[in-house]
């Protein structure tokens, strides 16, 4: 289990890069890396050389999040103006534009089957589920008020605590997790559209989450409290906690084989954690500013044996690593 | 049995006197001697015999009688015997003088001796024995040169006079000319091979002094062969053996000493050596007995000194310092000169040090140092005294000297290191490392205290790897190794539940039940705590937590571990756990100042102001010297002053004064307290005294930068605030940016907000917007930021449209930004409606309206601009075509040049001129056309719009006014001390005594949602003021800017003028476009 730096592309965008994801390989091409930046553009990159495939414009204010459909041909991007643009990865044709004003759109994720796009609904305290067939919105999954505004006393603005920041689908598509500014992690039964419970442990914003691809019960959360938590979402128990980052942990992704964890942090590093040893095994310092997103390339595509990990940062660069 | 026969006068009979049965009273003998007129030599014989038997009075009685004038008269012809008697008396007094301590008696004895010898000389001035006696007298008086001369006189007459030779030998020996002395002893032996054994003893001593140990030993052995009971030789041999320092030698030496002791229990020297031996074997009672005997047996001051010393030393080791001091002093009083025997001085120095009498101690050690300037131990001892006297510089000097003199002295290095800790981590570390290296080299165990110190210093220097190594070495094997290396972070039966910060950790009990040893020796707790601190610093919180929990599990009274856990919980915003932990500490120790401080800051964080104040005050009551509590109270007052809930200027001034007073109080206690200084700077700034406060902040910043353990972003922010208030925007921006990057990993949205504010003031709208976007990204739930961003974009658009000259691109951009602003406002409006974030819906709607309106206007602007652009393009096109035509013509002209005449060319020029005029005319025509269009306004709808515009302007001006108010208030982040930190580690390690001051960090001001709403509801204006209020709000400063910042107000006044006039220009423009 290790990663090795392949390439650091400086000035990949004109400004800070806040979002990254991989569009899976399709029949015609390999996987593509999609990045979103404060410069209001979304860029698509190809291959190990990070060759620029296309630049998508059209967003106003910074691009906060990008998500790719499991088919690989469709992706979504959203910016601080809270419009979600769904587009064709290969042609850049706009498929639809989604808006759920007045609630913000924050991080997004397609469910593993590709039937839904879950959008963290910011101040609405809910997750918006869009049906990808007709682009109609399902009943939003709302965190009950009692949970969202629980006793955590530190919020300066009323109601801001339940600002939903991130969403994550379990690999079987049955569970959906969402996380908030005050550290609440809520688990939903995605099939029945029901709130189940919350997970205890964080009291600061949880900006990113990821389910294990090999164990649908296991959820990883990262927080401004510098910690990475590993939960059993069914028993609601904290299995393990990892510490080592010197500042906020902004992003987490699990390797496709489920044995490793990559995290990106405000401390400018990317760390690789071995889940068997439950310890950090590598610290990469390719970036010199906050690392906003890390993403493992999904398996698939021709002749792709070794894995890839990408990271993007406020320093405007994109880094690519080989994962073996 | 020996007999002396006294011939009976006038007969052949003799009186037989048994020598061992001499009558007790010498007068009986004297009577016989006198009656029988016995030969004088018999008198002498009896006297000698009495002497030998120790009956000194009898001896003296006989000799006095024997040297009386009657005898002189009667035996006037028996010269030799008369001389012998006198010489015997002389010798006796010489000896008395020699051993006498008191100078007066000593002198008297010597005078008596001199008188007897002089009388002897009067009888026969050539008698060699008299001369020899005189020589010995001089020798005893210490007059070596004269003594030598006297002996020489004898030798000149009788070169083989053995006593004279021996006398000279003695002189030479005392002069330290051992070779000469040796030669003389040899001569004496040659002349008189059957010399008494003592001559050979002299020989041996010479050889010993000359370093010819083997021959010396032979000599002593020969003495013993001749006289097996010669104590001196036994002692000499013993000393030699002991000095070999080999176990066998020492044992043999002690055997000799014992033999000497058995033969003659009064040989003080042997006693001393024996005592020395028993001292080192720890049999102190024997020492005491031996020394009592020795003291009784000898009059030799030097030997007595040694005996007293041995006694003192014995008491010293028994920690009976008072008695030890008495005997050391006795020993010293036996000595004429410290040079003779220095050890008691050293001992007395040590004892006084123990008794706390530093000055006396110092004077004794200094005496030692006078004689042995290079004695490392003494230099160290003096160093320790200086240290205890607080004369650190001198102490340092001494320990440096000690380490220089003996670079292998581990203790000296350790002491030096500990001295340096307070001033110079680097050098201290070097000293400790040297000690460490020395111990390693000699394969001695390294005390864990030393390792701990090394670890702490590495830690202070941020050399975490080395610190970790040192701590691990110090701790050795134990369960903590697994914890520290992260092997057993999740333990227990459930198969891996992570240790929680607060839980009563049954995991440990499970471990113990499973038979795992969690043994944690008390002396290692501190080191373990330090190790945990290190992990904490490395952000390995899991390891830190488990180690702290282990400490608590085994040593529940170690409250520092609780405090660290509470601090860690606080850092994770887990206030409930933090509170729980603090309560635990306070349950054990009600008045624990740190725990109370922590409780205070927790209460502040929960917005419970009154409680916090009470808590801080209670610290003051229990511990009046806790500068942390003072500081916290100062901060409390500052907050209260700028809190602005009651807008009572008087109250505010009172609070500020109180804050200042408290900060000053802290500074009196701890002049180097940066946090208090920072506080003073803030109060000054609040009062508008910027220059002074800037100076204060700058100094604090420098001090903080010089200290690796202190992080003080507040002072950077405050400095930046000052720059901002003084209009030095570039500097302020730089300062905020550096602060963000250096202290916050760019994560602090608050500082980004300050940055945006500065850009706003500097009218750098795009930078302002970018900073705000970042802030929103970091704190998406802070809607104020969105509002501010929308304002910035609106402002940008307005400003751009106001510009007299702007490109179509610029206008397009401002249209885009207006749309964004509109979008954000609309969203906020929606949010306000559904969630009530403290925004007034109406006001946001007003913004929405305004933006819409501006957007409409901008569209016209855009069209105009685009038209203009179009026209410009056309103009350029025409110009270009003209230029091309001209070019073509010139080329043609050139072609025809040779053919054409000058005249023709003139004509051509005229034609060209005409052409140009025509063009000018055409252009003028365009201009008038445009102007005409403007003038073509019809007054119809104009008035209505004018009205509307007026209203708007009014609103805008009002806004300006409002907005200028809170402008200059700095929001000085105030220092809020944190809990004990790294200092704790030091304190725990025993390196520092006081550790609270430097170790404080700021905490965010407590939440003030209530106030936000209030501020907003009070303001009935729009954008700018809202925005600024929002900024201000975060800082607890409010619109009392005029009160706090007279100067700031001035600034804003002038500021106000400018935009007003500018706005007027803009108004016309707007109406223009309206009408368009």
């Amino acid at each position: 289990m290790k990663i090795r730096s392949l390439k650091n592309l400086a000035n990949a965008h004109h400004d800070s890069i806040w979002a990254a994801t991989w569009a899976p390989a399709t029949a015609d091409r390999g996987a593509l890396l999609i990045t979103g930046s404060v410069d209001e553009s979304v860029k698509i990159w190809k291959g190990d050389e990070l060759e620029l495939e296309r630049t998508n414009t059209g967003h106003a204010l910074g691009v906060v999040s990008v998500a790719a459909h499991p088919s690989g041909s469709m992706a979504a991007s959203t910016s601080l103006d809270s419009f979600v643009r769904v587009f064709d990865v290969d042609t850049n044709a706009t498929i639809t534009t989604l808006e759920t004003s007045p609630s913000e759109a924050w991080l997004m994720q397609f469910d593993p089957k590709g039937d839904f796009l879950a959008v963290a609904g910011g101040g609405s305290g809910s997750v918006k589920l869009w049906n990808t067939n007709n682009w109609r919105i399902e009943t939003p999954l709302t965190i009950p008020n009692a949970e969202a505004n629980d006793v955590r006393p530190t919020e300066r603005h009323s109601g801001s605590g339940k600002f939903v920041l991130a969403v994550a689908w379990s690999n079987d598509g049955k569970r959906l997790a969402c996380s908030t500014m005050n550290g609440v992690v809520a688990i939903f039964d995605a099939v029945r559209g029901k709130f189940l419970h919350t997970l205890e442990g964080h009291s600061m914003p949880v900006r990113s989450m990821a389910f294990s691809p090999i164990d649908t019960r296991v959820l990883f959360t990262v927080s401004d409290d510098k910690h990475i938590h590993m939960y059993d979402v069914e028993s609601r128990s904290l299995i393990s906690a990892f510490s080592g980052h010197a500042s906020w942990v902004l992003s987490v992704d699990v390797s496709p084989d489920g044995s490793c964890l990559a995290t990106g942090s405000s401390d400018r590093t990317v760390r690789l954690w071995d889940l068997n040893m439950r310890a950090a095994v590598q610290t990469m310092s390719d970036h010199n500013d906050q690392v906003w997103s890390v993403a493992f390339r999904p398996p698939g595509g021709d002749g792709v044996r070794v894995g890839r990990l990408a990271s993007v940062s406020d320093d405007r660069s994109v880094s690519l690593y080989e994962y073996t | 049995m020996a007999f002396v026969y006294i011939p009976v006068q006038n007969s052949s009979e003799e009186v037989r006197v048994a020598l061992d049965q001499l009558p007790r009273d010498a007068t009986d003998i004297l009577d016989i001697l006198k009656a029988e007129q016995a030969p004088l030599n018999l008198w002498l014989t009896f006297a000698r015999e009495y002497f030998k038997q120790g009956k000194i009075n009898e001896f003296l009685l006989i000799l006095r009688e024997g040297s009386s004038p009657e005898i002189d008269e009667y035996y006037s012809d028996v010269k030799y015997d008369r001389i012998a008697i006198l010489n015997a008396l002389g010798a006796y007094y010489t000896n008395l003088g020699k051993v006498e301590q008191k100078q007066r008696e000593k002198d008297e004895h010597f005078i008596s001796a001199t008188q007897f010898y002089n009388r002897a000389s009067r009888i026969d001035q050539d008698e060699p024995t008299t001369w020899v006696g005189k020589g010995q007298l001089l020798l005893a008086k210490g007059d070596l040169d004269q003594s030598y001369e006297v002996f020489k006189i004898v030798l000149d007459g009788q070169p083989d006079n053995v006593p004279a030779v021996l006398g000279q030998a003695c002189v030479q020996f005392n002069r330290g000319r051992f070779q000469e002395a040796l030669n003389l002893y040899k001569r004496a032996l040659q002349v008189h091979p059957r010399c008494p054994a003592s001559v050979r003893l002299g020989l041996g001593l010479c050889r010993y002094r000359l370093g010819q140990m083997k021959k010396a030993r032979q000599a002593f052995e020969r003495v013993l062969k001749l006289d097996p009971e010669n104590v001196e030789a036994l002692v000499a041999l013993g000393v030699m053996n002991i000095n070999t320092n080999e176990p066998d030698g020492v044992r043999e030496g002690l055997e000799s000493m014992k033999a000497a002791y058995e033969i003659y229990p009064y040989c003080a020297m042997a006693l001393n050596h024996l005592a020395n031996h028993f001292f080192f074997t720890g049999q102190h009672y024997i020492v005491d007995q031996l020394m009592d005997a020795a003291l009784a047996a000898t009059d030799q001051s030097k030997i007595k000194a040694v005996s007293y010393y041995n006694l003192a030393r014995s008491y010293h080791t028994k920690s009976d310092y008072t008695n030890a001091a008495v005997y050391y002093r006795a020993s010293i009083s036996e000595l004429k000169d410290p040079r003779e025997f220095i050890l008691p001085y050293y001992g007395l120095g040590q004892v006084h040090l123990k008794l706390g009498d530093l000055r006396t101690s110092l004077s004794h050690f200094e005496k030692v140092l006078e004689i042995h300037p290079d004695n490392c131990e003494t230099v160290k001892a003096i160093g320790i005294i200086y240290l205890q006297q607080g004369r650190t510089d001198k102490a340092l000097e001494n320990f440096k000297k000690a380490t220089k003199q003996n670079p292998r002295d581990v203790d000296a290095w350790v002491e030096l290191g500990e001295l340096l800790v307070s001033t110079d981590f680097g050098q201290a570390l070097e000293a400790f490392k040297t000690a460490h290296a020395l111990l390693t080299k000699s394969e001695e165990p390294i005390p864990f205290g030393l390792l701990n110190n090394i670890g702490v210093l590495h830690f202070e220097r941020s050399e975490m790897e080395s610190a970790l190594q040192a701590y691990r070495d110090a701790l050795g094997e134990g369960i903590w190794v697994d914890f520290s290396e992260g092997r057993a972070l999740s333990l227990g039966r459930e198969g891996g539940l992570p240790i929680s910060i607060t839980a009563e950790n049954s995991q440990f009990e499970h471990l113990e039940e499973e038979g795992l040893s969690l043994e944690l020796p008390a002396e290692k707790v501190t080191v373990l705590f330090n190790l945990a601190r290190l992990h904490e610093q490395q952000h390995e919180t899991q390891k830190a937590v488990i180690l702290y929990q282990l400490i608590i599990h085994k040593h529940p009274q170690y409250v520092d571990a609780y405090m660290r856990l509470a601090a860690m919980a606080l850092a994770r915003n887990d206030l409930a756990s933090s509170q729980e932990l603090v309560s635990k500490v306070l349950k054990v120790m009600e008045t624990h100042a740190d725990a109370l401080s922590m409780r205070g800051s927790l209460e502040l964080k929960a917005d419970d102001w009154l409680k916090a104040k009470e808590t801080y005050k209670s610290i003051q009551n229990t511990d009046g010297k806790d500068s942390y509590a003072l500081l916290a109270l100062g901060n409390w007052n500052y907050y209260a002053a700028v809190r602005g809930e009651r807008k009572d200027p008087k109250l505010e001034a009172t609070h500020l004064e109180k804050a200042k007073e408290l900060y000053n109080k802290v500074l009196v206690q701890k002049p180097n307290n940066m946090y208090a200084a920072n506080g003073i700077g803030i109060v000054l700034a609040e009062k508008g005294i910027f220059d002074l406060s800037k100076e204060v902040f700058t100094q604090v910043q420098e001090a903080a930068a010089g200290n690796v353990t202190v992080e003080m972003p507040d002072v950077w922010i405050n400095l930046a605030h000052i720059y901002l208030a003084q209009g030095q925007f570039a500097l302020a921006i730089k300062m905020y940016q550096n602060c963000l990057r250096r202290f916050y990993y760019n994560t602090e949205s608050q500082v980004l907000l300050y940055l945006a504010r500065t850009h706003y003031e500097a009218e750098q709208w795009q930078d302002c917007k970018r900073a705000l976007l970042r802030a929103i990204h970091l704190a998406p739930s802070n809607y104020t930021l969105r509002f501010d961003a929308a304002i910035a974009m609106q402002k940008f658009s307005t400003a751009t449209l106001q510009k007299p000259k702007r490109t179509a691109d610029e206008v397009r951009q401002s249209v885009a930004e207006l749309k964004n602003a509109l979008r954000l406002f609309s969203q906020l409006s929606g949010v306000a409606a559904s969630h009530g974030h403290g925004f007034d819906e109406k006001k946001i709607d007003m913004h929405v309206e305004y933006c819409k309106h501006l957007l409409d206007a901008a569209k016209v602007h855009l069209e105009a601009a685009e038209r203009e652009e179009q026209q410009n393009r056309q103009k350029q096109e025409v110009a270009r075509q003209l230029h091309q035509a001209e070019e073509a013509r010139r080329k043609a002209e050139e072609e025809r040049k040779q053919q054409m005449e000058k005249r023709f060319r003139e004509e051509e020029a005229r034609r060209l001129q005409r052409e140009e005029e025509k063009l000018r005319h055409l252009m003028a025509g365009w201009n008038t056309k445009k102007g005409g269009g403007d003038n073509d306004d019809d007054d119809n709808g104009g008035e209505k719009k004018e009205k509307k515009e007026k209203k708007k302007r009014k609103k805008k001006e009002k806004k300006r006014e409002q907005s200028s108010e809170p402008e200059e208030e700095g929001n000085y982040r105030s220092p809020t001390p944190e809990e004990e930190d790294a200092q704790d580690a030091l304190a725990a390690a025993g390196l520092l005594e006081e550790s609270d001051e430097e170790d404080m960090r700021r905490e965010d001001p407590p939440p003030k949602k209530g106030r936000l709403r209030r501020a907003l509801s009070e303001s009935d204006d729009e954008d700018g003021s809202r925005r600024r209020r929002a900024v201000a709000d975060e800082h607890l400063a409010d619109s009392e800017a005029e009160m706090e910042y007279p100067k700031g107000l001035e600034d804003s006044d002038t500021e106000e003028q400018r935009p007003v006039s500018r706005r007027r220009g803009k108004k016309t423009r707007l109406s223009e476009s309206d009408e368009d």
Side-chain angles (χ1 to χ4, degrees), chain B residues 433-444 446:
Chain B
K433 275 182 165 169
T434 311
H436 185 279
L438 287 171
L439 289 170
T440 315
K441 210 170 167 189
S442 56
E443 290 174 1
E444 281 174 63
I446 294 156

Side-chain angles (χ1 to χ4, degrees), chain A residues 83-264:
Chain A
F83 284 114
V84 178
R85 177 177 181 258
V86 183
F87 58 95
D88 185 302
V89 174
D90 296 301
T91 65
N92 193 26
T94 301
I95 294 167
T96 182
T97 303
L98 311 173
E99 192 198 357
T100 52
S101 193
S103 81
E104 297 81 1
W106 215 250
L107 264 51
M108 312 178 289
Q109 197 179 11
F110 285 95
D111 84 300
K113 288 186 192 128
D115 296 336
F116 297 101
L117 172 65
V119 181
S124 69
S126 65
V127 178
K128 315 283 184 193
L129 279 185
W130 294 90
N131 190 317
T132 54
N133 296 316
N134 51 18
W135 296 111
R136 283 220 193 101
I137 195 161
E138 307 276 318
T139 321
L141 303 173
T142 307
I143 309 176
N145 260 336
E147 301 287 341
N149 292 329
D150 70 356
V151 281
R152 298 164 213 223
T154 56
E155 293 314 317
R156 292 182 191 186
H157 311 285
S158 66
S160 65
K162 63 173 178 177
F163 192 102
V164 176
L165 285 169
V167 290
W169 288 96
S170 68
N171 221 25
D172 56 8
K174 286 180 182 159
R175 294 285 177 265
L176 181 68
C178 79
S179 63
T180 69
M181 275 301 277
N182 63 1
V184 168
V185 175
I187 305 297
F188 294 94
D189 180 335
V191 181
R192 274 176 259 161
K194 240 183 77 188
F195 165 81
L196 294 177
H197 50 246
T198 58
L199 304 175
E200 298 293 318
H202 292 295
S203 303
M204 290 170 90
V206 174
R207 295 176 192 268
S208 173
M209 297 180 295
F211 272 96
S212 164
I214 52 171
D215 185 346
T216 55
R217 291 165 63 108
V218 174
L219 175 71
F220 299 95
T221 60
V222 297
S223 164
D224 288 3
D225 66 16
K226 305 175 188 174
H227 283 71
I228 299 140
H229 284 181
M230 179 178 179
Y231 290 101
D232 179 334
V233 294
E234 301 305 318
S235 70
R236 306 177 61 181
S237 58
L238 178 64
I239 302 167
S240 190
F242 307 98
S243 53
H245 277 300
S247 186
W248 300 359
V249 193
L250 301 171
S251 176
V252 62
D253 199 14
V254 191
S255 66
D257 58 9
S259 66
C260 272
L261 210 60
T263 54

Side-chain angles (χ1 to χ4, degrees), chain B residues 465-519:
Chain B
E465 281 304 308
S466 312
L468 185 66
Q469 193 53 51
Y471 289 147
R472 286 193 177 156
D473 288 350
L475 284 166
E477 283 302 309
I479 183 74
W480 46 79
V481 176
D482 286 341
F483 294 154
S484 172
E485 286 172 6
R487 275 201 297 274
L489 288 181
S490 26
L491 306 156
R493 287 192 173 152
E494 281 91 293
L497 282 187
I499 292 265
S500 108
I501 269 190
T502 49
E504 306 289 338
N505 284 288
S506 51
Q507 285 98 324
F508 289 119
E509 276 146 36
H510 290 321
L511 278 183
E512 280 178 327
E513 279 164 25
E514 281 161 21
L516 217 69
S517 167
L518 296 181
E519 213 41 58

Side-chain angles (χ1 to χ4, degrees), chain B residues 656-671:
Chain B
L656 271 187
E657 267 316 302
K658 184 75 188 161
K660 192 177 159 192
E661 186 193 314
L662 287 160
Y663 290 139
N664 273 329
K665 226 177 188 174
V666 176
L667 282 178
V668 168
Q669 282 178 11
K670 312 232 163 138

Side-chain angles (χ1 to χ4, degrees), chain B residues 286-475:
Chain B
I286 301 182
V287 175
D288 296 353
Q289 287 174 358
L290 288 174
M291 287 305 97
D292 287 342
L295 286 169
T298 185
D299 290 329
Q300 273 268 21
S301 62
K302 214 172 146 179
I303 289 170
K304 271 172 105 169
V306 175
S307 305
Y308 280 130
Y309 171 73
N310 276 336
L311 267 177
R313 201 162 55 158
S314 167
Y315 283 112
H316 194 162
T317 42
K318 284 185 279 190
S319 302
D320 181 351
Y321 300 117
T322 326
N323 268 323
V326 168
Y327 285 107
Y328 279 132
R329 230 174 268 124
S331 173
I332 286 171
S333 69
E334 293 291 329
L335 300 167
K336 275 176 267 161
D337 186 334
R339 242 166 270 272
E340 288 176 22
F341 188 46
I342 200 66
L343 292 177
Y345 287 91
Y346 187 79
L348 203 54
Q350 281 182 316
V351 166
H352 279 297
L353 185 58
K354 281 276 182 205
L355 292 172
D357 184 353
L358 299 180
R359 278 220 337 244
T360 319
S361 174
L362 183 61
S363 74
H364 287 296
F365 281 126
E366 273 171 348
K367 237 170 233 155
V368 178
L369 210 58
E370 263 171 44
I371 294 155
H372 300 285
D374 294 334
N375 184 287
C376 194
E377 293 301 320
T378 313
V379 174
K380 273 178 356 192
I382 290 177
I384 288 170
I385 292 170
Y386 282 134
L387 186 63
Q388 293 193 1
Q389 286 178 334
R391 291 149 83 180
T392 331
D393 291 353
K394 285 223 150 198
L396 204 60
E397 200 178 289
N398 270 279
F399 283 115
K400 278 186 178 158
K401 194 171 149 197
T403 52
K404 217 170 275 170
Q405 279 164 356
N406 185 3
R408 320 183 66 79
D409 187 322
V410 174
D411 293 342
W413 283 111
V414 170
E415 289 283 352
L416 182 63
E418 280 177 8
L419 264 173
L420 285 166
V421 159
S422 56
T423 51
D424 186 337
F425 289 156
Q427 282 196 41
L429 184 58
E430 279 312 307
F432 286 138
K433 275 182 165 169
T434 311
H436 185 279
L438 287 171
L439 289 170
T440 315
K441 210 170 167 189
S442 56
E443 290 174 1
E444 281 174 63
I446 294 156
F448 62 80
L450 176 61
L451 286 165
N452 183 46
N453 286 351
I454 290 175
V456 169
L457 285 170
H458 276 303
F459 181 86
E460 290 298 323
R461 287 158 58 90
S462 302
E463 295 156 355
M464 298 303 175
E465 281 304 308
S466 312
L468 185 66
Q469 193 53 51
Y471 289 147
R472 286 193 177 156
D473 288 350
L475 284 166

Side-chain angles (χ1 to χ4, degrees), chain B residues 80-143:
Chain B
Y80 180 80
D81 290 337
R82 276 165 58 210
I83 289 171
I85 286 175
L86 287 169
N87 282 354
L89 279 167
Y92 170 71
Y93 280 109
T94 303
N95 200 40
L96 270 187
K98 203 162 134 188
V99 297
E100 180 56 59
Q101 296 287 328
K102 294 175 205 146
Q103 200 56 40
R104 231 185 78 200
E105 277 85 346
K106 200 179 184 81
D107 289 345
E108 274 171 18
H109 291 313
F110 283 139
I111 288 167
S112 309
T114 315
Q115 283 168 349
F116 285 116
Y117 284 127
N118 284 345
R119 270 174 66 189
S121 289
R122 275 201 293 279
I123 297 167
D124 181 356
Q125 66 170 358
D126 292 331
E127 176 52 45
T129 49
T130 312
W131 287 110
V132 170
K134 279 184 172 175
Q136 271 158 353
L137 172 63
L138 288 165
L139 188 61
K141 283 161 96 175
D143 192 348

Side-chain angles (χ1 to χ4, degrees), chain B residues 209-253:
Chain B
R209 290 303 191 100
L210 285 167
Q212 303 165 346
M213 293 301 165
K214 221 169 145 189
K215 286 193 172 170
R217 184 180 292 274
Q218 284 171 351
F220 292 133
E221 277 162 1
R222 176 103 181 105
V223 173
L224 286 176
K225 206 172 268 172
L226 294 171
D227 176 7
E229 303 209 332
N230 187 305
V231 173
E232 283 89 345
L234 273 171
V235 171
L237 260 181
V239 170
M240 280 181 77
N241 278 329
I242 288 169
N243 285 349
T244 56
N245 255 338
E246 284 156 22
D248 285 352
V250 173
R251 207 180 49 243
E252 269 178 45

Side-chain angles (χ1 to χ4, degrees), chain A residues 15-16 18 40 60-62 80-83 99 101-104 106 123-124 153-158 160 163 165 181 201 203-204 207 225-227 229 238-241 243-248 266-268 278 288-290 292 314, chain B residues 486 490 496-498 538-543 571-575 605 741 744-747 750 769-770 773-774 776-784 786 793 820 823-824 827 830-831 834-837 1004-1005 1007-1009 1012-1013 1034:
Chain A
D15 209 332
S16 302
W18 284 346
E40 306 184 348
L61 311 180
L80 284 175
D81 65 4
S82 301
F83 284 114
E99 192 198 357
S101 193
S103 81
E104 297 81 1
W106 215 250
S124 69
T154 56
E155 293 314 317
R156 292 182 191 186
H157 311 285
S158 66
S160 65
F163 192 102
L165 285 169
M181 275 301 277
S203 303
M204 290 170 90
R207 295 176 192 268
D225 66 16
K226 305 175 188 174
H227 283 71
H229 284 181
L238 178 64
I239 302 167
S240 190
S243 53
H245 277 300
S247 186
W248 300 359
S266 289
D267 71 7
R268 300 161 201 162
R278 293 188 182 174
N288 58 39
D289 210 336
Q290 314 190 60
W292 276 105
D314 261 353
Chain B
S490 26
L497 282 187
Q538 298 273 69
H539 310 287
E540 296 166 325
T541 25
Q542 297 309 111
K543 296 178 183 178
R572 291 167 70 167
N573 211 12
D574 184 356
L575 301 194
K605 204 154 185 183
R741 191 164 178 88
Y744 295 111
Y745 291 102
N746 288 341
T747 59
Q750 197 59 48
K769 172 190 147 193
R770 256 201 298 279
L773 288 186
R774 268 169 221 285
I776 296 170
H777 191 224
L778 293 167
S781 57
N782 185 346
Y783 287 98
T784 321
R786 290 170 197 263
M793 289 185 279
N820 285 335
R823 168 91 179 149
L824 284 177
Q827 270 191 321
V831 168
S834 56
H835 301 296
H837 285 287
D1004 284 321
K1008 319 120 200 124
K1009 26 189 167 174
L1012 172 69
R1013 222 174 280 135
E1034 289 298 323

